[in-house]
Amino acid sequence: MKFGDVLRELLEEQNLSQKQLARDLNISASALGNYIRNNREPDFEILKKIARYFCVSTDFLLNYQAVPYSDYRDQKLLQIFHSLTDEQKDLFIEQGKLFIRSNSRKKEKSSHLGLDSRAL
């Protein structure tokens, strides 16, 4: 996924217009349009402004994974998490813990039955 594609997705998720983002970042609408169409790439300062605006890393915007085990979903999960309120973050964490417990129970059950846990 290219920078412009990531930026377009963020705009859609936030229900923001290109014009509004350009105004908020204090850049021209035409420059922003070129970024979104993948015709041009922003300089480092603009890239940092965009990352700060959407509460994501510059690596996320550039679809770059420095950590070999990190993928787009990891970064997307962090982006979503950072956009939540503190109360929502707490609920999100609790829901994640429920998923982990559920997976542990499934593994225990399958090991007792002699099944391959991937089959569940």
Side-chain angles (χ1 to χ4, degrees):
M1 187 178 280
K2 293 184 177 184
F3 171 76
D5 302 323
V6 173
L7 186 54
R8 184 181 310 107
E9 186 175 287
L10 288 169
L11 281 167
E12 289 171 4
E13 288 173 0
Q14 299 290 322
N15 199 26
L16 275 173
S17 69
Q18 291 181 29
K19 186 176 180 179
Q20 180 64 47
L21 180 61
R23 187 174 35 248
D24 290 348
L25 296 176
N26 198 28
I27 61 174
S28 71
S30 63
L32 183 63
N34 280 322
Y35 303 152
I36 291 170
R37 288 188 300 276
N38 290 305
N39 292 335
R40 297 192 64 205
E41 294 178 343
D43 64 26
F44 293 129
E45 290 307 311
I46 299 297
L47 185 66
K48 290 189 293 186
K49 276 184 171 183
I50 294 169
R52 194 175 314 114
Y53 186 89
F54 288 108
C55 299
V56 297
S57 69
T58 54
D59 285 353
F60 177 82
L61 291 173
L62 298 172
N63 197 27
Y64 173 75
Q65 291 84 37
V67 181
Y69 302 107
S70 177
D71 67 8
Y72 179 77
R73 291 178 298 174
D74 294 337
Q75 294 299 317
K76 191 66 183 170
L77 187 60
L78 282 172
Q79 185 261 326
I80 291 168
F81 185 79
H82 289 299
S83 69
L84 300 175
T85 66
D86 286 342
E87 183 179 320
Q88 291 169 329
K89 286 177 183 177
D90 292 339
L91 289 170
F92 195 83
I93 289 168
E94 290 306 313
Q95 288 176 334
K97 289 177 183 178
L98 287 173
F99 283 126
I100 291 168
R101 285 195 291 268
S102 174
N103 289 343
S104 294
R105 287 186 195 118
K106 286 179 183 177
K107 285 179 185 176
E108 287 175 19
K109 185 177 179 181
S110 67
S111 67
H112 291 313
L113 297 174
L115 299 173
D116 183 357
S117 63
R118 292 173 292 181
L120 293 177

